[in-house]
C-alpha cells in the first residue's frame, strides 16, 4: 500500500484547486511558541482572557501592549522556516489555474508574507500593524528597536490597538468570506499546525469535504479534525511540506 506521504503527494498533484489553513504549529519551528503547548505555549503562562480580549485591553492597555510589543519583537527576530517556504512554492505550482490556490492563516506573525506567499488571507490580523481605535486607520509598527507602545494614529491622534482578532471578536468578514469560498471550491484542503479548536477557522476544511474534496492534515498530534482527513501526516510541517513537494 502507498505510504501516507505518497497518498498525500498523489492527491496534491492531482488537485486543480488547493486551499490551505495554517495555525501556530507551522511557526513553532521558527521559534514562536504555539498557544496551547503545555510547556512553552502562550496560554500556559497567561490566561488568554487576560491579554487577548477587548475587556483586557479596555481594563489595562499598557499591559496588553507590553505583551504584544514583546511578541512583535519575537516575530520580527524570527525567520520563515522550510514549511513556510514550501507553501510559497506550492502556490507558484498551482497558480496556473486562476483560483488554484489560497492560504488562510490564523497566525499573526507575518512569516507567510516574508516567505513569499501572496494569495493569503490573515483571519486573525497581523502583529506587525496597529489599528486606530477611532478612525480605524491601519499602520505598520516602527522597527522593534524603536517601538514604544502605544502607537498614536498619525491621522487623528488617537491611541492605536494591536491589529489582531481577540477572543470573542469577529474575524474580518471579507477575509473569512474569501477563505470560505476557496475551501468550498477546493479539491484538497491542507490543514497544517492547528489544533482545530477555534471557530470559524476550524470549520473551513469541512467545507471542502462537504463538496466532495479531500482533507490532508499535517500535525504531530491528533486533533478533532483528524478523523475527517483522507490522509494524516503525523509529522512536523518543516519535514512534511518539503517532502510533499518532492517528485
Ligand atoms: P470564539 O469562538 O469565542 O469567538 C468567535 C465566535 O464568533 C465563534 O463562535 C465564531 O463562530 C464567531 N465568529 C467570529 N467571527 C465570525 C464571523 N466573521 N462570521 C461568523 N461567525 C464568526 O473564538 P475565540 O477563541 O474567542 O477567539 C476569537 C478569535 O480571536 C478566534 O479566531 C481566535 O483564534 C482569535 N484570537 C487571536 C489571538 C491572537 O493573539 N491572534 C488571541 C486569541 C484569540
Ligand atoms: N508542525 C506542525 N504542527 C505543529 C508543530 C509543527 N512543528 N508543532 C506543533 N504543532 C501543532 C500542535 O500539535 C497543535 O495541534 O500545532 C498546533 C498548535 O495549536 P495551537 O497552539 O492551538 O495554535 P492554533 O491552532 O493556531 O490556535 C488557534 O486560537 O488562541 C487562539 O488566536 C489564537 O490563532 C490562535 C487560535
Ligand atoms: Zn485615527
Amino acid at each position: 500500500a502507498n505510504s501516507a506521504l505518497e497518498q498525500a503527494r498523489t492527491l496534491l498533484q492531482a488537485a486543480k484547486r488547493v486551499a490551505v489553513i495554517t495555525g501556530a504549529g507551522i511557526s513553532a519551528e521558527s521559534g514562536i511558541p504555539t498557544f496551547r503547548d503545555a510547556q512553552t505555549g502562550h496560554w500556559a503562562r497567561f490566561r488568554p482572557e487576560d491579554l487577548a480580549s477587548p475587556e483586557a485591553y479596555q481594563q489595562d492597555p499598557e499591559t496588553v501592549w507590553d505583551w504584544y510589543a514583546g511578541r512583535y519583537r519575537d516575530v520580527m527576530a524570527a525567520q520563515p522556516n522550510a514549511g513556510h517556504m514550501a507553501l510559497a512554492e506550492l502556490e507558484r505550482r498551482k497558480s496556473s489555474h486562476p483560483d488554484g490556490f489560497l492560504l488562510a492563516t490564523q497566525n499573526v506573525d507575518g512569516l507567510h508574507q516574508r516567505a513569499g506567499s501572496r494569495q493569503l488571507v490573515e483571519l486573525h490580523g497581523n502583529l506587525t500593524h496597529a489599528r486606530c481605535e477611532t478612525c480605524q486607520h491601519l499602520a505598520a509598527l516602527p522597527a522593534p528597536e524603536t517601538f514604544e507602545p502605544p502607537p498614536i494614529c498619525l491621522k487623528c491622534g488617537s491611541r492605536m490597538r494591536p491589529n489582531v482578532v481577540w477572543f470573542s471578536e469577529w474575524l474580518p468578514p471579507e477575509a473569512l468570506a474569501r477563505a470560505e469560498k476557496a475551501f468550498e471550491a477546493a479539491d484538497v484542503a491542507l490543514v497544517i499546525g492547528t489544533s482545530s479548536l477555534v471557530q470559524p477557522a476550524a470549520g473551513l476544511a469541512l467545507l471542502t469535504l462537504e463538496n466532495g474534496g479531500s482533507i490532508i492534515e499535517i500535525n504531530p498530534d491528533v486533533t478533532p479534525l483528524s478523523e475527517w482527513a483522507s490522509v494524516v501526516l503525523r509529522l512536523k510541517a518543516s519535514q512534511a511540506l518539503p517532502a510533499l513537494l518532492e517528485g
Side-chain angles (χ1 to χ4, degrees):
N2 272 357
S3 76
L5 194 56
E6 279 150 21
Q7 283 171 31
R9 212 180 272 143
T10 306
L11 272 177
L12 200 55
Q13 279 164 359
K16 281 200 183 54
R17 294 185 182 85
V18 175
V20 185
I21 174 83
T22 61
I26 195 168
S27 296
E29 289 158 277
S30 294
I32 299 173
T34 63
F35 289 89
R36 292 169 182 83
D37 176 313
Q39 280 64 46
T40 64
H42 284 300
W43 305 144
R45 288 201 305 283
F46 311 98
R47 287 171 349 116
E49 49 279 8
D50 291 348
L51 283 164
S53 72
E55 297 74 23
Y57 182 66
Q58 290 312 325
Q59 202 101 42
D60 182 356
E62 281 73 34
T63 304
V64 172
W65 256 120
D66 282 351
W67 188 69
Y68 275 97
R71 288 191 62 206
Y72 170 55
R73 276 188 281 278
D74 293 346
V75 302
M76 293 305 274
Q79 296 303 324
N81 62 56
H84 297 104
M85 306 311 280
L87 286 180
E89 169 57 23
L90 180 60
E91 172 178 334
R92 284 188 285 273
R93 294 189 186 180
K94 294 296 177 184
S95 59
S96 48
H97 196 282
D99 48 7
F101 183 91
L102 185 74
L103 166 54
T105 187
Q106 300 171 90
N107 297 338
V108 295
D109 55 33
L111 291 182
H112 285 305
Q113 284 93 330
R114 286 170 52 196
S117 291
R118 292 292 171 266
Q119 297 303 318
L120 171 69
V121 289
E122 296 183 301
L123 296 172
H124 296 167
N126 190 320
L127 260 185
T128 60
H129 285 63
R131 192 172 71 244
C132 177
E133 296 175 26
T134 307
C135 75
Q136 305 310 312
H137 173 60
L138 204 57
L141 292 181
E145 306 75 54
T146 59
F147 175 48
E148 286 294 323
I152 300 301
C153 178
L154 293 181
K155 284 211 182 334
C156 77
S158 305
R159 186 178 61 191
M160 302 180 89
R161 59 164 276 177
N163 180 42
V164 297
V165 177
W166 283 328
F167 284 100
S168 79
E169 287 187 326
W170 281 59
L171 279 65
E174 67 289 338
L176 185 57
R178 188 174 168 208
E180 285 169 343
K181 190 164 168 284
F183 278 88
E184 280 160 4
D187 309 302
V188 166
L190 204 40
V191 183
I192 308 164
T194 178
S195 54
S196 290
L197 292 173
V198 171
Q199 293 302 337
L204 290 171
L206 295 179
L207 298 174
T208 305
L209 203 64
E210 276 159 28
N211 292 319
S214 310
I215 295 174
I216 300 172
E217 183 182 51
I218 296 175
N219 193 321
D221 296 348
V222 180
T223 73
L225 193 83
S226 301
E227 62 180 296
W228 303 101
S230 310
V231 186
V232 172
L233 303 178
R234 286 270 167 263
L235 296 165
K236 294 187 170 191
S238 70
Q239 292 156 338
L241 284 165
L244 263 186
L245 295 189
E246 272 165 26

